Amino acid sequence: MKMSRLAAALTAALLGATAMAHAETLTIATVNNSDMIIMQKLAPKWEQATGNKLNWVVLEENVLRQRVTTDIATKGGQFDIITIGSYEAPIWGKQGWLDSLDDLGEDYDYADMIKTVKDGLSANGKLYAVPFYAESSFTFYRKDLFDAAGIQMPEKPTYTQLAEFAAKLTDKSKEQYGFCQRGKPGWGENMAFVGPMVNAFGGRWFDEKWQPQLTSEPWKKAITYYVKTMQAYGPPGATANGHNENRALFATGHCALWVDATSAAGYIYNPKESKVADKTAFAPAPVEVTSNGSGWFWAWALGIPSSSKKVEAAKSFVKWATSKDYVKLVGETEGWVSAPPGTRKSTYDNPEYQKAAPFAKVVYESIANADITHPTKDPVPYVGIQYVAIPEFQGIGTTVGQQIAAALAGQVTVDQALETAQRATERTMKQAGYIK
């Protein structure tokens, strides 16, 4: 009965909200992460309630970013709804490339949104994308392997300690790797891990005068650590592994340690998806010299390009897919452990979610307390923890990510990679007028 009442309530709300003259077909671009796959699975409920149809373009993360950026910058009009993040939303909103989403109605309950997440998707007091899920990062580890090796995970682990643990927990004859981290190049792939790691080592992307700092000691120490530890204790072919690949490796029992998105916890702790659901524990993201910016902050969100001709129907869908009722629908159909995390306070107040998600409190506090305005040990002119909130960062982050992947693959030394990255970043910053 509970499910039928919920479905009826959802249907009634949607029909009331979308009294449109004729049905629309909307094209939605999204990423192939597990939460979005669930959204695609449940979307026929919205289609049935409204008469509209969705044309899904589901892409790997790097490809999604490239396609969506090109389309929105050229006003191509290919997409009616796009999946973007807390990096793009305020920048593109200021450019006039996105419709504002402050008018979804009182029943949307904006006050229920976690403030840091809402603020991260806003510019000049306007909300330009609504959060589908949000995340910080933490350290997933195999408690059974730690216990067997007689190792105790500290309350606040350091990168140095993780390398020591990885050495003890790597058994390549069993395809068991101590240190599974992102290696696939991309500003939102390997650099999402590398950026906070560099912060933890005391580094920063730019000094206060926008001079790139990629050849500084903290960068050299952090990247040397990363390359050595990954080469010694990581899986083979690591430069092909992004978030999804490492999540699959961890969930199938091949990784002892993985530092990545808190949003992956719903998958790792779900026994339907993961072989290690009952063997996994978590700790904060590692620190080293400082804790500033050591755990990242991100929200995957739904936005509507200003080039869309189907704004009302698009608003109906983004409202549905990011609502409290949608969170409840996922909880009751897919299991509460799979409910979209990090966006609404009501999710974390829900006893069913608390019971299903042992990580809930840690995740909520990480996201609610994230400070993108103080991401580093030393002062910087930018905001953003694993990214720098300037339009040029997409290109810079991807170029730097390619160099670091080349060092990881053994094609260049760490020093060569960072010198090339430094020169390329200086060139971009000069062309853009940040430095002379």
Side-chain angles (χ1 to χ4, degrees):
M1 279 300 290
K2 190 196 288 187
M3 265 309 301
S4 61
R5 280 202 305 272
L6 173 62
L10 268 172
T11 303
L14 285 164
L15 287 171
T18 57
M20 287 176 289
H22 62 282
E24 301 280 14
T25 297
L26 303 174
T27 299
I28 175 171
T30 196
V31 66
N32 62 344
N33 292 353
S34 57
D35 291 86
M36 283 69 170
I37 302 300
I38 292 172
M39 173 172 63
Q40 189 178 8
K41 179 182 171 185
L42 296 177
K45 291 186 182 299
W46 176 83
E47 292 176 320
Q48 289 157 15
T50 62
N52 297 311
K53 293 285 178 204
L54 290 164
N55 171 33
W56 291 86
V57 181
V58 183
L59 302 165
E60 182 267 327
E61 196 165 314
N62 285 340
V63 179
L64 172 83
R65 289 189 161 116
Q66 195 174 23
R67 289 269 301 273
V68 165
T69 303
T70 301
D71 186 68
I72 202 156
T74 59
K75 293 186 168 55
Q78 190 180 349
F79 305 115
D80 300 296
I81 301 164
I82 52 176
T83 303
I84 57 172
S86 46
Y87 164 72
E88 298 99 337
I91 294 173
W92 293 1
K94 280 182 195 169
Q95 297 272 16
W97 294 349
L98 297 169
D99 277 350
S100 66
L101 295 173
D102 296 306
D103 57 350
L104 299 181
E106 279 184 35
D107 58 329
Y108 186 68
D109 197 355
Y110 289 94
D112 186 47
M113 294 164 94
I114 296 172
K115 187 176 185 304
T116 50
V117 177
K118 185 170 185 265
D119 290 350
L121 297 168
S122 302
N124 303 327
K126 288 185 176 182
L127 183 66
Y128 284 105
V130 281
F132 184 65
Y133 71 79
E135 63 192 28
S136 183
S137 54
F138 57 22
T139 306
F140 295 89
Y141 69 97
R142 285 280 300 282
K143 191 161 188 323
D144 58 327
L145 299 180
F146 270 64
D147 290 347
I151 305 169
Q152 182 90 24
M153 176 65 81
E155 272 187 39
K156 292 185 178 177
T158 66
Y159 277 100
T160 298
Q161 287 170 326
L162 287 201
E164 291 165 4
F165 301 154
K168 292 175 182 172
L169 297 170
T170 298
D171 185 344
K172 293 187 178 178
S173 70
K174 294 181 182 173
E175 296 185 351
Q176 178 182 305
Y177 305 102
F179 200 68
C180 296
Q181 312 304 343
R182 299 186 187 196
K184 182 188 287 185
W187 72 266
E189 277 286 10
N190 63 345
M191 297 313 295
F193 170 76
V194 168
M197 179 183 64
V198 168
N199 294 342
F201 274 77
R204 52 187 176 166
W205 279 92
F206 303 98
D207 70 11
E208 291 169 280
K209 295 182 178 176
W210 290 106
Q211 295 290 340
Q213 299 295 297
L214 300 166
T215 51
S216 63
E217 255 340 275
W219 270 87
K220 286 183 181 177
K221 283 180 180 172
I223 305 308
T224 298
Y225 166 90
Y226 167 75
V227 168
K228 280 186 176 174
T229 313
M230 285 280 278
Q231 286 176 347
Y233 315 123
T239 55
N241 294 345
H243 170 80
N244 285 341
E245 292 79 10
N246 279 316
R247 189 188 68 201
L249 281 169
F250 194 94
T252 51
H254 292 292
C255 298
L257 285 163
W258 178 40
V259 180
D260 213 290
T262 55
S263 60
Y267 186 94
I268 297 299
Y269 278 82
N270 186 345
K272 293 180 197 168
E273 307 282 1
S274 168
K275 292 180 181 176
V276 296
D278 60 344
K279 301 178 178 72
T280 299
F282 52 88
V287 299
E288 191 67 18
V289 173
T290 181
S291 61
N292 284 19
S294 59
W296 73 59
F297 172 81
W298 184 253
W300 274 120
L302 301 177
I304 300 172
S306 52
S307 54
S308 173
K309 303 287 192 291
K310 303 167 184 176
V311 174
E312 287 311 307
K315 281 186 177 178
S316 166
F317 180 77
V318 303
K319 176 179 179 177
W320 175 81
T322 60
S323 66
K324 288 189 283 189
D325 281 339
Y326 177 83
V327 173
K328 195 184 291 186
L329 183 64
V330 175
E332 294 181 355
T333 58
E334 305 298 312
W336 276 101
V337 73
S338 299
T343 60
R344 289 186 170 273
K345 289 178 271 190
S346 54
T347 304
Y348 292 87
D349 293 337
N350 186 321
E352 291 179 272
Y353 185 69
Q354 291 169 6
K355 185 179 168 187
F359 45 82
K361 185 173 184 287
V362 175
V363 172
Y364 178 81
E365 288 174 356
S366 299
I367 292 168
N369 297 324
D371 188 356
I372 62 172
T373 62
H374 294 95
T376 51
K377 179 173 79 71
D378 297 323
V380 289
Y382 57 85
V383 299
I385 294 173
Q386 79 280 20
Y387 58 85
V388 176
I390 57 173
E392 295 75 19
F393 181 73
Q394 267 187 297
I396 289 169
T398 295
T399 299
V400 175
Q402 287 163 347
Q403 289 303 316
I404 288 169
L408 177 57
Q411 295 164 355
V412 295
T413 66
V414 168
D415 282 354
Q416 286 169 336
L418 292 177
E419 281 160 17
T420 303
Q422 173 79 7
R423 285 196 301 273
T425 305
E426 281 176 353
R427 195 159 53 243
T428 298
M429 296 303 277
K430 280 178 183 170
Q431 287 167 350
Y434 289 87
I435 55 177
K436 292 180 181 177

